[in-house]
Every structure is written in structure tokens, then in C-alpha cells.
Amino acid sequence: MDAAPETISIQRCRDLLGDEADALSDDDVRAIVRHADAMARILLVLAAPDGGIH
């Protein structure tokens, strides 16, 4: 069973992104978060014992 993802605030995301986030809108930051989440999920699937990396 998958646990519900923990959400973090836009401000925390900006902190993690650093100075580059200063010129981004909140929607831009949310898009980056969605992209990073999708990439992380793909990597986890590929790294799983029955995934695509052998």
C-alpha cells in the first residue's frame, strides 16, 4: 500500500531550490515540484528489484 505523499510548502520548495527560485512564480515552483516527484517515482520503479535496471 502506498503512503500518502507528504506535502511541503511553496516556501520550503523555494528554500530547497535556492536563489534560482527568486524569479519563479508559485505556479513555476509547483511545476518543478511535480516534475521532480515524477522523476523520483520513475527512478524508484527502475531501481526496484523487479524494475528495469539490471
Side-chain angles (χ1 to χ4, degrees):
M1 177 161 87
D2 290 336
E6 182 179 332
T7 59
I8 60 174
S9 70
I10 292 296
Q11 183 57 48
R12 179 65 180 134
C13 293
R14 287 181 179 284
D15 292 343
L16 293 169
L17 290 169
D19 294 337
E20 291 82 8
D22 291 345
L24 300 175
S25 70
D26 286 354
D27 287 338
D28 292 335
V29 173
R30 286 185 192 98
I32 291 169
V33 169
R34 284 190 303 273
H35 179 76
D37 180 69
M39 293 300 299
R41 290 174 187 272
I42 289 167
L43 291 173
L44 287 171
V45 168
L46 290 175
D50 60 347
I53 296 175
H54 299 282

Coordinates of all heavy atoms in Angstrom, one line a residue:
M1 N 0.9 -1.2 0.0 CA 0.0 0.0 0.0 C 0.9 1.2 0.0 O 1.8 1.3 0.8 CB -0.9 0.0 1.2 CG -1.8 1.2 1.4 SD -3.2 1.0 2.4 CE -2.5 1.4 4.0
D2 N 0.6 2.2 -0.9 CA 1.4 3.4 -1.0 C 0.9 4.4 0.1 O -0.3 4.6 0.3 CB 1.2 4.1 -2.3 CG 1.9 3.3 -3.4 OD1 2.8 2.6 -3.1 OD2 1.5 3.5 -4.6
A3 N 1.9 5.0 0.8 CA 1.6 6.0 1.8 C 1.3 7.3 1.0 O 1.8 7.6 0.0 CB 2.7 6.2 2.7
A4 N 0.4 8.1 1.6 CA 0.1 9.4 1.0 C 1.4 10.3 1.1 O 2.1 10.3 2.1 CB -1.0 10.1 1.8
P5 N 1.7 11.0 0.0 CA 2.9 11.8 -0.1 C 2.8 12.9 0.9 O 1.7 13.5 1.2 CB 3.0 12.3 -1.5 CG 1.6 12.2 -2.0 CD 0.9 11.1 -1.3
E6 N 3.9 13.3 1.5 CA 4.0 14.4 2.5 C 4.1 15.7 1.6 O 5.0 15.7 0.8 CB 5.2 14.2 3.4 CG 5.3 15.3 4.4 CD 6.4 15.1 5.4 OE1 6.8 14.0 5.6 OE2 6.9 16.1 5.9
T7 N 3.3 16.6 1.9 CA 3.4 17.9 1.2 C 4.3 18.9 1.9 O 4.3 18.8 3.1 CB 2.0 18.5 0.9 OG1 1.4 18.7 2.2 CG2 1.1 17.6 0.1
I8 N 5.0 19.7 1.1 CA 5.8 20.7 1.7 C 5.3 22.1 1.2 O 4.7 22.1 0.1 CB 7.3 20.5 1.5 CG1 7.6 20.5 0.0 CG2 7.8 19.2 2.2 CD1 9.1 20.4 -0.2
S9 N 5.6 23.1 1.9 CA 5.1 24.4 1.5 C 5.9 25.0 0.3 O 7.0 24.5 0.0 CB 5.2 25.4 2.6 OG 6.6 25.7 2.9
I10 N 5.3 25.9 -0.4 CA 5.9 26.6 -1.5 C 7.2 27.2 -1.0 O 8.2 27.2 -1.7 CB 5.0 27.6 -2.2 CG1 3.8 26.9 -2.9 CG2 5.7 28.5 -3.2 CD1 4.3 26.0 -4.1
Q11 N 7.1 27.8 0.2 CA 8.3 28.5 0.7 C 9.4 27.5 0.9 O 10.6 27.8 0.6 CB 8.0 29.2 2.0 CG 9.2 30.0 2.6 CD 9.7 31.0 1.6 OE1 9.0 31.8 1.0 NE2 11.0 31.0 1.4
R12 N 9.1 26.3 1.4 CA 10.2 25.3 1.7 C 10.7 24.8 0.3 O 12.0 24.6 0.2 CB 9.6 24.1 2.4 CG 10.6 23.0 2.7 CD 11.7 23.4 3.5 NE 12.6 22.3 3.7 CZ 14.0 22.4 3.6 NH1 14.5 23.6 3.4 NH2 14.7 21.3 3.8
C13 N 9.9 24.7 -0.7 CA 10.4 24.4 -2.0 C 11.3 25.4 -2.5 O 12.4 25.1 -3.1 CB 9.2 24.2 -3.0 SG 8.2 22.8 -2.7
R14 N 11.0 26.7 -2.3 CA 11.8 27.8 -2.7 C 13.2 27.7 -2.0 O 14.2 28.0 -2.6 CB 11.2 29.1 -2.5 CG 10.0 29.5 -3.4 CD 9.4 30.8 -3.1 NE 8.4 31.1 -4.1 CZ 8.6 31.5 -5.3 NH1 9.8 31.7 -5.8 NH2 7.5 31.8 -6.1
D15 N 13.1 27.4 -0.7 CA 14.4 27.3 0.1 C 15.3 26.2 -0.5 O 16.5 26.3 -0.7 CB 14.1 26.9 1.5 CG 13.4 28.1 2.3 OD1 13.5 29.2 1.8 OD2 12.8 27.8 3.3
L16 N 14.6 25.1 -0.9 CA 15.4 23.9 -1.5 C 16.0 24.3 -2.9 O 17.1 23.9 -3.2 CB 14.5 22.7 -1.6 CG 14.1 22.1 -0.3 CD1 13.0 21.0 -0.5 CD2 15.3 21.5 0.5
L17 N 15.2 25.1 -3.6 CA 15.7 25.5 -5.0 C 16.8 26.5 -4.9 O 17.6 26.7 -5.9 CB 14.5 26.0 -5.8 CG 13.5 24.9 -6.2 CD1 12.3 25.5 -6.8 CD2 14.1 23.9 -7.2
G18 N 16.8 27.3 -3.9 CA 17.8 28.3 -3.7 C 17.5 29.6 -4.5 O 16.4 29.9 -4.8
D19 N 18.6 30.4 -4.7 CA 18.4 31.7 -5.4 C 17.7 31.6 -6.7 O 17.1 32.6 -7.1 CB 19.8 32.3 -5.6 CG 20.5 32.7 -4.2 OD1 19.7 32.8 -3.2 OD2 21.7 32.8 -4.2
E20 N 17.8 30.5 -7.4 CA 17.2 30.4 -8.7 C 15.7 30.5 -8.6 O 15.0 30.9 -9.6 CB 17.6 29.0 -9.4 CG 19.0 28.9 -9.8 CD 19.9 28.6 -8.7 OE1 19.5 28.2 -7.6 OE2 21.2 28.6 -8.9
A21 N 15.1 30.2 -7.5 CA 13.7 30.3 -7.3 C 13.1 31.7 -7.1 O 11.9 31.9 -7.2 CB 13.2 29.4 -6.1
D22 N 14.0 32.7 -6.9 CA 13.6 34.0 -6.7 C 12.8 34.6 -7.8 O 11.8 35.4 -7.6 CB 14.8 35.0 -6.4 CG 15.4 34.7 -5.1 OD1 14.8 34.0 -4.2 OD2 16.6 35.2 -4.9
A23 N 13.1 34.3 -9.1 CA 12.4 34.8 -10.2 C 11.2 33.9 -10.7 O 10.6 34.3 -11.7 CB 13.4 34.9 -11.4
L24 N 10.9 32.9 -9.9 CA 9.9 32.0 -10.3 C 8.6 32.3 -9.7 O 8.5 32.7 -8.5 CB 10.2 30.5 -10.0 CG 11.5 30.0 -10.6 CD1 11.8 28.6 -10.1 CD2 11.4 29.9 -12.2
S25 N 7.5 32.1 -10.4 CA 6.1 32.3 -9.8 C 5.8 31.0 -8.9 O 6.5 30.0 -9.1 CB 5.1 32.4 -10.8 OG 4.9 31.2 -11.5
D26 N 4.8 31.1 -8.1 CA 4.4 29.9 -7.3 C 4.0 28.8 -8.2 O 4.3 27.6 -8.0 CB 3.2 30.3 -6.4 CG 3.7 31.1 -5.2 OD1 4.9 31.3 -5.0 OD2 2.8 31.5 -4.4
D27 N 3.4 29.1 -9.4 CA 3.0 28.1 -10.3 C 4.2 27.4 -10.9 O 4.2 26.2 -11.2 CB 2.1 28.6 -11.4 CG 0.7 28.9 -10.9 OD1 0.3 28.4 -9.9 OD2 0.0 29.8 -11.6
D28 N 5.3 28.2 -11.2 CA 6.5 27.6 -11.7 C 7.1 26.7 -10.7 O 7.6 25.6 -11.1 CB 7.5 28.7 -12.0 CG 7.1 29.6 -13.2 OD1 6.4 29.1 -14.1 OD2 7.6 30.8 -13.3
V29 N 7.1 27.1 -9.4 CA 7.7 26.2 -8.4 C 6.9 24.9 -8.3 O 7.4 23.8 -8.2 CB 7.7 27.0 -7.0 CG1 8.1 26.0 -5.9 CG2 8.7 28.1 -7.1
R30 N 5.5 25.0 -8.3 CA 4.7 23.8 -8.3 C 5.0 22.9 -9.5 O 5.0 21.7 -9.3 CB 3.2 24.2 -8.3 CG 2.7 24.8 -7.0 CD 1.2 25.1 -7.0 NE 0.8 25.8 -5.8 CZ 0.7 27.2 -5.9 NH1 0.8 27.9 -7.0 NH2 0.3 27.8 -4.7
A31 N 5.2 23.5 -10.6 CA 5.5 22.6 -11.8 C 6.8 21.9 -11.6 O 7.0 20.7 -12.0 CB 5.6 23.5 -13.1
I32 N 7.8 22.6 -11.0 CA 9.1 21.9 -10.7 C 8.9 20.8 -9.7 O 9.5 19.7 -9.9 CB 10.1 23.0 -10.3 CG1 10.5 23.9 -11.4 CG2 11.4 22.3 -9.7 CD1 11.3 25.1 -11.0
V33 N 8.1 21.0 -8.7 CA 7.8 20.0 -7.7 C 7.2 18.8 -8.4 O 7.6 17.7 -8.1 CB 6.9 20.6 -6.6 CG1 6.4 19.5 -5.6 CG2 7.7 21.6 -5.8
R34 N 6.2 19.0 -9.2 CA 5.5 17.9 -9.9 C 6.5 17.1 -10.7 O 6.5 15.9 -10.8 CB 4.4 18.4 -10.7 CG 3.1 18.8 -9.9 CD 1.9 19.0 -10.8 NE 2.1 20.1 -11.8 CZ 1.9 21.4 -11.6 NH1 1.5 21.8 -10.5 NH2 2.1 22.2 -12.6
H35 N 7.4 17.8 -11.5 CA 8.4 17.2 -12.3 C 9.3 16.4 -11.5 O 9.6 15.2 -11.8 CB 9.1 18.2 -13.1 CG 10.2 17.6 -14.0 ND1 9.9 17.0 -15.2 CD2 11.5 17.6 -13.8 CE1 11.0 16.6 -15.7 NE2 12.0 16.9 -14.9
A36 N 9.8 16.9 -10.4 CA 10.8 16.2 -9.5 C 10.1 15.0 -8.9 O 10.8 13.9 -8.8 CB 11.3 17.2 -8.4
D37 N 8.9 15.1 -8.5 CA 8.1 14.0 -8.0 C 8.0 12.9 -9.0 O 8.3 11.7 -8.7 CB 6.8 14.4 -7.5 CG 6.0 13.3 -6.9 OD1 6.4 12.8 -5.8 OD2 5.0 12.9 -7.5
A38 N 7.7 13.2 -10.2 CA 7.5 12.2 -11.3 C 8.9 11.5 -11.6 O 8.9 10.3 -11.7 CB 7.0 12.9 -12.5
M39 N 9.9 12.3 -11.6 CA 11.2 11.7 -11.9 C 11.7 10.8 -10.7 O 12.2 9.7 -11.0 CB 12.3 12.8 -12.1 CG 12.1 13.7 -13.3 SD 12.2 12.7 -14.8 CE 13.8 12.1 -14.8
A40 N 11.4 11.2 -9.5 CA 11.8 10.3 -8.4 C 11.0 9.0 -8.4 O 11.6 8.0 -8.2 CB 11.5 11.1 -7.1
R41 N 9.7 9.1 -8.8 CA 8.9 7.9 -8.8 C 9.4 6.9 -9.9 O 9.5 5.7 -9.7 CB 7.5 8.2 -9.0 CG 6.8 8.8 -7.8 CD 5.4 9.3 -8.1 NE 4.9 10.1 -7.0 CZ 4.3 9.5 -5.9 NH1 4.1 8.2 -5.9 NH2 3.8 10.3 -4.9
I42 N 9.8 7.5 -11.1 CA 10.3 6.7 -12.2 C 11.6 6.0 -11.7 O 11.8 4.8 -11.9 CB 10.6 7.6 -13.4 CG1 9.2 8.0 -14.0 CG2 11.4 6.8 -14.4 CD1 9.3 9.0 -15.1
L43 N 12.5 6.8 -11.1 CA 13.8 6.2 -10.6 C 13.6 5.1 -9.6 O 14.3 4.1 -9.6 CB 14.7 7.3 -10.1 CG 15.2 8.3 -11.1 CD1 16.0 9.4 -10.4 CD2 16.1 7.6 -12.1
L44 N 12.6 5.3 -8.7 CA 12.3 4.2 -7.7 C 11.8 3.0 -8.4 O 12.2 1.9 -8.0 CB 11.3 4.7 -6.7 CG 11.8 5.8 -5.7 CD1 10.7 6.3 -4.9 CD2 12.9 5.1 -4.8
V45 N 11.0 3.1 -9.4 CA 10.5 1.9 -10.1 C 11.6 1.2 -10.8 O 11.8 0.0 -10.8 CB 9.4 2.3 -11.1 CG1 9.1 1.2 -12.1 CG2 8.1 2.7 -10.4
L46 N 12.5 2.0 -11.5 CA 13.6 1.4 -12.2 C 14.6 0.7 -11.3 O 15.2 -0.3 -11.7 CB 14.3 2.5 -13.1 CG 13.5 3.0 -14.3 CD1 14.3 4.1 -14.9 CD2 13.2 1.9 -15.2
A47 N 14.8 1.3 -10.1 CA 15.7 0.7 -9.2 C 15.2 -0.5 -8.4 O 16.0 -1.1 -7.7 CB 16.2 1.8 -8.2
A48 N 13.9 -0.7 -8.4 CA 13.3 -1.8 -7.7 C 13.8 -3.1 -8.2 O 14.2 -3.2 -9.4 CB 11.8 -1.7 -7.8
P49 N 13.9 -4.1 -7.4 CA 14.4 -5.4 -7.8 C 13.7 -6.0 -9.1 O 14.4 -6.6 -9.9 CB 14.1 -6.4 -6.6 CG 14.0 -5.4 -5.5 CD 13.5 -4.1 -6.0
D50 N 12.5 -5.7 -9.3 CA 11.8 -6.2 -10.5 C 11.6 -5.1 -11.5 O 10.9 -5.2 -12.4 CB 10.4 -6.8 -10.1 CG 9.5 -5.8 -9.4 OD1 10.0 -4.7 -9.0 OD2 8.3 -6.1 -9.3
G51 N 12.3 -4.0 -11.3 CA 12.3 -2.9 -12.2 C 13.1 -3.0 -13.4 O 13.5 -4.2 -13.8
G52 N 13.5 -1.9 -14.1 CA 14.2 -2.0 -15.4 C 15.7 -2.0 -15.3 O 16.3 -2.2 -16.3
I53 N 16.3 -1.7 -14.2 CA 17.8 -1.7 -14.1 C 18.3 -3.1 -13.7 O 17.9 -3.6 -12.7 CB 18.3 -0.6 -13.2 CG1 17.9 0.8 -13.6 CG2 19.8 -0.7 -13.0 CD1 18.2 1.9 -12.7
H54 N 19.2 -3.7 -14.5 CA 19.7 -5.0 -14.2 C 21.2 -5.0 -14.3 O 21.8 -4.4 -15.1 CB 19.1 -6.1 -15.1 CG 17.6 -6.2 -15.0 ND1 17.0 -6.8 -13.9 CD2 16.6 -5.7 -15.7 CE1 15.7 -6.8 -14.0 NE2 15.4 -6.1 -15.1

